[in-house]
Amino acid sequence: MGIEDFGGGQNPQTDVLVVTTNDVPGYHVDQVIGEVFGLTVRSRHLGSQIGAGLKSMIGGELKGLTKTLVETRNQAMDRLVQQARARGANAVLMFRFDVTEAADVGTEVCAYGTACVISPKP
């Protein structure tokens, strides 16, 4: 597996800018639309759980689970962008992830932030 299997982030061709900051340098916040989020819950398949259990005995990174978590985070972020776009936003400020175990059957990943309309400062 290459490094591209373990990375994430926003698609550079998107029309909705997603940042972790409270503002965007050179831009003015014209309208705050409100909170948006993207949510997904993933379970691990039996083979993955057995492999992770064996790997945990000897130590080391659980690469299969790492790759699954990256895919899950990317899916949650894509859903966040879709919701922001549907509400008329062109930016999401204060973007964050929240990850929790979901009833011992999977992992819940929530991407959230504040949907806004921004424009370049004159």
Side-chain angles (χ1 to χ4, degrees), residues 46-121:
L46 182 59
S48 170
Q49 288 180 312
I50 292 171
L54 293 173
K55 183 72 171 186
S56 69
M57 287 186 220
I58 59 172
E61 181 182 8
L62 305 174
K63 290 185 179 183
L65 294 179
T66 300
K67 186 175 178 183
T68 299
L69 184 55
V70 168
E71 291 168 354
T72 304
R73 287 171 63 121
N74 288 342
Q75 183 180 47
M77 186 172 184
D78 287 346
R79 290 178 177 174
L80 166 101
V81 168
Q82 290 172 14
Q83 188 183 72
R85 184 182 298 118
R87 294 183 61 193
N90 66 353
V92 175
L93 306 180
M94 299 176 286
F95 170 72
R96 303 287 187 269
F97 280 113
D98 184 43
V99 180
T100 58
E101 287 298 313
D104 294 330
V105 295
T107 302
E108 172 191 329
V109 175
C110 182
Y112 63 96
T114 303
C116 297
V117 176
I118 62 173
S119 62
K121 288 181 179 176

Side-chain angles (χ1 to χ4, degrees), residues 19-25 27-29 32 92-96 114 116 118:
V19 296
T20 59
T21 55
N22 295 336
D23 53 19
V24 179
Y27 285 79
H28 179 265
V29 176
V32 174
V92 175
L93 306 180
M94 299 176 286
F95 170 72
R96 303 287 187 269
T114 303
C116 297
I118 62 173

Side-chain angles (χ1 to χ4, degrees), residues 31-45:
Q31 178 185 3
V32 174
I33 295 172
E35 180 189 15
V36 288
F37 66 90
L39 181 67
T40 185
V41 179
R42 293 268 182 105
S43 65
R44 295 179 287 232
H45 60 79

